[in-house]
Amino acid sequence: MPKRTDIKKILIIGSGPIVIGQACEFDYSGTQACKSLKDEGYEVILVNSNPATIMTDPDFADRTYIEPITPEIVAQIIERERPDALLPTLGGQTGLNTAVAVAEAGVLEKFGVEMIGATLDVIKKAEDRELFREAMGRINQRVPRSGIARSIEDCFRIAEELSYPLIVRPSFTLGGSGGGVAYNREDLEQIASLGLDLSMIHEVMLEESIIGWKEFELEVMRDRMDNVVIVCSIENIDPMGVHTGDSITVAPAQTLTDREYQEMRDAAIAIIREIGVDTGGSNIQFAVNPQTGEMVVIEMNPRVSRSSALASKATGYPIAKLAAKLAVGYTLDEIPNDITRETQASFEPTIDYCVVKIPRWTFEKFPGTEDFLTTSMKSVGETMAIGRTFAEALQKGLRSLEISRYGFFGDGRNRLDSDPALVEPEIIRSRLRTANSQRIFYLAAALKAGFSIEEINELTGIDPWFLYHFDRLVKRGREIEALGPLFGSPETAAARTDLAEELLRAKRDGFSDIQLAHMWGWKEDQIRSLRKSLGVNSVYKLVDTCAAEFEAYTPYYYSTYEEEDEIRSTDRKKVIILGGGPNRIGQGIEFDYCCVHASFALREMGIESIMVNSNPETVSTDYDTSDRLYFEPLTKEDVLNIIEKEKPLGVIVQFGGQTPLNLAVPLAEAGVNILGTSPDSIDRAEDRERFQVMLKKLGLVQPPNGTAMTVEEATKVAAEIGYPVVVRPSYVLGGRAMQIVYDVDSLAGFVRYAQEASEGHPILIDKFLEDAIELDVDAVSDGHRAIIGGIMEHIEEAGVHSGDSACALPPHSLSAQLIETIKEAAKAMAKELNVIGLMNVQFAVKDDELYVLEVNPRASRTVPFVSKATGLPLAKVATRVMLGQSLDDQGIFDEPAPKHVSVKEAVFPFNRFPGVDTILGPEMKSTGEVMGIDSEFGLAYAKSQMATGEMLPLEGNIFISVRDRDKKMAVKVARRFADQGFKIIATRGTAQAIAEAGVEVETVNKVFEGRPHVVDLIKNGRIHFIANTSLGHRTVIDSISMRRTALLYKIPYVTTMAGALATAQACEALRNHKITVKTIQEFHQVD
Amino acid sequence: MESKKAILALADGKVFQGCSFTGPGETWGEIVFNTSMTGYQEVLTDPSYTGQIVSMTYPHVGNYGINEQDMESERIRVEGFILREYHPVPSNWRSRQALSEFLTAAGVLGITGIDTRALTRHLRERGAMTGFISTEDLDPDSLVEKARRAPTLDNRDLVKDVTCKQPYVWVPDENGGRREFNPAAIEDWTRTRGRYRVAAMDYGIKFNILRLLAAHGAAVLVLPAATPPDEVLGYNPDGIFLSNGPGDPAAVTYVYENLRGLLGQRPIFGICLGHQMLGLAMKGSTFKLKFGHRGANQPVKDLTTGKIEITSQNHGYCVDMDSLAGQDIRLTHVNLNDNTLEGLADEKRGFFSVQYHPEASPGPHDASYLFERFIKLMRK
Ligand SMILES: Nc1ncnc2c1ncn2[C@@H]1O[C@H](COP(=O)(O)OP(=O)(O)O)[C@@H](O)[C@H]1O
Ligand SMILES: Nc1ncnc2c1ncn2[C@@H]1O[C@H](COP(=O)(O)OP(=O)(O)O)[C@@H](O)[C@H]1O
Ligand SMILES: [Mg+2]
Ligand SMILES: [Mg+2]
């Protein structure tokens, strides 16, 4: 039956900012959905607050609202747009929850909007743990025993019945936030109270623990004729107890017999029918008792998910695209399989390779939180690798992680190899027993130390199937190592007849050239050239959904070492784009956005675009984004292999963030043509000394600075420049281990901390510019002329990492003259560095003096934001520039001058990391961003806050507590709030300053001053907004409990006075205006 | 595991290198590929694979070992087994034995380390063909020659090699069921009350068909393939089942000629070769598919309901849809990948059949409703 013609206009809700548990995968699925619904002739209306997404590009939906995803705003959009249907299943948990709220508020009924994909009933049945259990009972599926609690008292009562340990799981939350394992009464109280709070309906479920059972997922699709297919099975290497998002997983399932697999498949089909998802995809999780085969159902997500994105990439079956088509009435047998063309989507993909997904964590950024994994997800990204065997895929996956590792072990980068203290048996045991981000490497260490597979199985619960492969790799490692002395040097080895065979065997197990080089004491390049001379080369195979049963037309490749190479090369002009690898803090979706734009621009120019990336969540790894896709690690070895096969015109390294940028020099040395800004220019911007020379030449200034290798040197340098100083390691990303140091006493500690983060590299020490305004500038240059894409004025002062501070475009407090100076400075640097492509500069303005903080001759995190704010697609312009089209050729003369104000705000993962301070500093901690756009700053800022989930108060009590330096500003903030009728509450010193200025204020105790104190007030719901700054380490620790409480109780808070003032402005704007909504297309039209 | 170099040579001259994981040996047969990701034990023991060497497209095989319940006949039936990566240490609570032990004990050669994807692509392009594997003769030219000289499946009666020699009764038990040849049991069977008496013609029947017939309330008597029609009817069954089986359907003339004597006499349900026998009994013809359908993901459309079933398949021959034109029968199922015939029915004479495997094992259970349909047909 064909698609529905009774609906014409469809509203899609996106998933908002990137947070832990909800990342780019929803841009991937949303983009697919928008594209396919538009292709079908529907008018697509989109709401998503995340500017870094491809889906919010003006061409993807007919009308795009970059507005907060709140029920109120979505209701307004519905009223304005009058869509026929709402598709809630593509925007993750956010999309689903918002749709539920809008439906329950009666908005859909009022405006005659039909929910398609999943109805309200279905969503509730799947998401409400109690309803779900009942449903499972009806179809005789076992679920873990459990009880539902709505209060702590309920919890204790249920605990009596079920016995510890207990799994605490809140209803309607995502990525397991607010959940955990309670081993005793105290744990239970702590975890459950948080969970109750985070649950949208104040409900948690306590569950019998089945920690250690095998965990599986099935991706299921169903159409309205009740045809059901299983797209993919996924097996978690980490058993139950570790969130699937934090587990290393494998596709397809490895340890199930057909009988067990089919039983699971039958259950999945029964479940999707019972829950009633009648068009679209669902993810269903199961656990299996390894001793008895008993199977239980864990949960179902009635929507596309992180796992469905993974399943799509793992099989080539585009779940989100099909979900969208099924939602408008197609059936599976009416939709062609893009990859084989001759067959339809109504089949089950079968694969002839092994896929391994490995999560990427960033515990190092959150000191104070322990590195262990539980039922609540903590990873910020993931990488996927494809190999013909598990061993090969695992090692490829580990070198895709971007943690400077090149395999399971033996790459010379493993601290466990070099530090015997770390591999004491007891330490190994404890690191194996409790899952953690390093467990995979401890597994290698344990096997090397002679632990038996049985013991490791007992400690970890990891299935012996996987342990066998780990063990085999360790044994292979020993064999390979033993060849070292036999082979001697590359010269002597070349004479041996067994060399080629041994190399090939090692490559087939996924060993990298770096591992081999390390184990044999050679250089990576020596391995490579020997390999080449012996013809031991990678071949490329297709991901084709059907294990080669049918011919495939989609060029989606992975490498392996086998006989047949399936690459169909062309003679067309082609360019390789290197992607950014797994998401992590500091390098995320923004860079993928740029890569995707590069690909689109190339295709528009008639040049074949070839994407290389290893991140399964992204749009860049969608098989139809580029002309060819290589799902491969971004290492020199893997990339060079592809370049040698494809022989492109050149390679684009400046869009994928630091990952490809780091490859620029090695690739150039290997003779690869790097398009755009030369590696030498990149080096001039990154190398401290060369950079200083350039600034001097241009008459620009930097904050006074110096470098040090030791604490003593650092003390000397700091004394020379004067405190406060910024201390940071070199060669790191996202402000890693960067600290502001106010006095000599605390210097040594911070220097050591920085040294740990980047061993063997100098420590950089800068004069800290206090109370300076920070600016971000994005420009694009063709080598002759540069244009400024946008100048962003940060809300927070310098000292808060640019990725973490809010910013406004255009700047709201700078003089026209200063803006001119900034533009001139940026252009002068672009010219001097001979930038061809994108460039980002961070400036600080203090006392009307302009300082250059850093220059990045590459795409920056703000490129998508600027493009959305101005309508100028910077990354595309830059791509064309890199391929020789000057700005003149492109007809780009005017710099954009938008009449509206755009505000970017960062979103933080603090709620995932218990005990971590929420204060902002020079080390970046945010995972994502939102955008607010409106006619004036106050409204745009208010929208940005709403979009992060912050509910700005319109009345009530404002709490202010600041360090001395901020007292003057505190008065200003207090007055601004008081004028609006808010009541001001402050700690003693701050209160005094405010009172002296004649503003009415109530004094409250600090936590250590006795009760009732400020935390009591927060808990009692008496405080509606918090502005708190603190100085140095001492007060920071004193005020942590207050900030954590605010976080838990969801009280909006800011940790800078600039932020407080902006909030006051936003509250004012909210009180004076009704929020209105407008599409990005309308905003761009006006300009 | 002792690994011994092995060479696989195809009749068209293509040669692959790997090694044996079952010790030394030599074997030959038609090389076919199976795309199921699970279910190797069922594949190995499926009598329909007689005369064939199976290459699994999924690389890791052996993962969960061999157990007591997942047998599809009493022994291994394939002539050889080709893998990309043999997994020697099974992990599954039901496992009793490693795959290599199972193969070795039966003297069946298994080889690993083959670029099975390249092999699949080759067969897809060139069609199914004979192959010869050896760990003894490692001269590719000589092996290619041997492969060329080996007989093909065409016009060979393989049913006679796999059918039971004596009738037996299927007795369900905790492991799924067992065969009972005791004549007393057959006597008992003829007196069955409360269950439908099904006579199953054994052309190479899979145990799971028997398990499912039993589970759906049938008492099953299994008869040798060549049992004449009056003898079959002499047992006075309520219904007749025609099983799957190996080889070229056109070669077993006696089977479909016998079948003509049963049409219209009792409700009949046929699977795979049983379906082809019905097609031939109806004066239709069969043809050889280029490389066959072997896997667990084949979409079949039920033309009556419009619904799609994901089916388990294993066949190299197919009933020609056009050859049945003009006949008074209904085409009920069609393969969505290549539009070949998957099912037919004749309501008047009370028979129906499918080309695919509703008994799955391995594969999805989507089509198990057909067993109910058979029971219903007997009820009438
Ligand atoms: N009863 C249980 N015993 C042990 N671990 C559990 C149990 N229930 C869930 N888990 C673990 O918690 C993780 C998260 O639970 P899940 O219900 O999938 O929540 P989410 O909605 O966050 O994905 C699962 O992936 C699993 O590893
Ligand atoms: N000298 C300085 N004075 C004040 N703030 C600074 C200074 N240097 C850096 N910062 C702050 O630290 C943040 C991170 O520094 P930056 O050099 O941009 O590191 P990254 O390369 O990690 O982005 C900047 O965004 C800025 O807020
Ligand atoms: Mg889950
Ligand atoms: Mg920076």
Side-chain angles (χ1 to χ4, degrees), chain A residues 108-181:
Chain A
L108 300 186
E109 208 175 339
K110 181 167 168 201
F111 296 104
V113 185
E114 178 186 345
M115 250 217 251
I116 56 174
T119 61
L120 186 58
D121 284 355
V122 167
I123 298 174
K124 284 180 137 176
K125 230 164 147 187
E127 293 283 319
D128 183 301
R129 305 260 183 215
E130 202 165 30
L131 293 178
F132 184 69
R133 296 179 64 76
E134 284 168 13
M136 292 307 98
R138 284 195 293 275
I139 53 171
N140 297 320
Q141 291 298 329
R142 166 145 141 70
V143 291
R145 285 182 303 129
S146 68
I148 299 282
R150 295 199 173 73
S151 67
I152 285 292
E153 291 69 43
D154 284 358
C155 289
F156 291 141
R157 186 175 46 71
I158 295 165
E160 305 264 290
E161 291 158 26
L162 296 180
S163 86
Y164 294 96
L166 287 169
I167 308 295
V168 183
R169 310 206 295 165
S171 300
F172 278 100
T173 66
L174 114 139
S177 64
V181 185

Side-chain angles (χ1 to χ4, degrees), chain A residues 801-802 842 854 856:
Chain A
H801 193 277
S802 54
Q842 280 155 38
E854 67 164 347
N856 298 306

Side-chain angles (χ1 to χ4, degrees), chain A residues 215 243-244 283 285 299 301:
Chain A
E215 185 164 1
H243 196 276
T244 47
N283 156 271
Q285 284 157 245
E299 71 153 354
N301 294 303

Side-chain angles (χ1 to χ4, degrees), chain A residues 412-423 448:
Chain A
R413 319 290 164 108
N414 191 355
R415 281 172 56 222
L416 303 184
D417 282 342
S418 53
D419 187 348
L422 294 173
V423 289
K448 281 186 173 179

Side-chain angles (χ1 to χ4, degrees), chain A residues 417 524 638:
Chain A
D417 282 342
E524 182 188 356
D638 298 285

Side-chain angles (χ1 to χ4, degrees), chain A residues 129 144 167 169 173-177 207-212 215 236 239-245 247 285 298-299 301 306 374-376:
Chain A
R129 305 260 183 215
I167 308 295
R169 310 206 295 165
T173 66
L174 114 139
S177 64
E207 221 172 69
E208 147 198 23
S209 161
I210 48 171
I211 288 179
E215 185 164 1
N236 291 10
M240 287 291 289
V242 177
H243 196 276
T244 47
S247 295
Q285 284 157 245
I298 302 304
E299 71 153 354
N301 294 303
R306 180 178 48 260
T374 66
T375 57
S376 159

Side-chain angles (χ1 to χ4, degrees), chain A residues 15-53:
Chain A
S15 69
I18 305 299
V19 294
I20 289 177
Q22 204 163 269
C24 330
E25 62 268 17
F26 296 107
D27 187 27
Y28 161 65
S29 34
T31 300
Q32 269 196 354
C34 289
K35 264 199 304 203
S36 64
L37 292 179
K38 253 181 103 165
D39 285 350
E40 293 295 339
Y42 294 100
E43 196 178 342
V44 177
I45 315 298
L46 170 69
V47 50
N48 193 353
S49 56
N50 185 345
T53 50

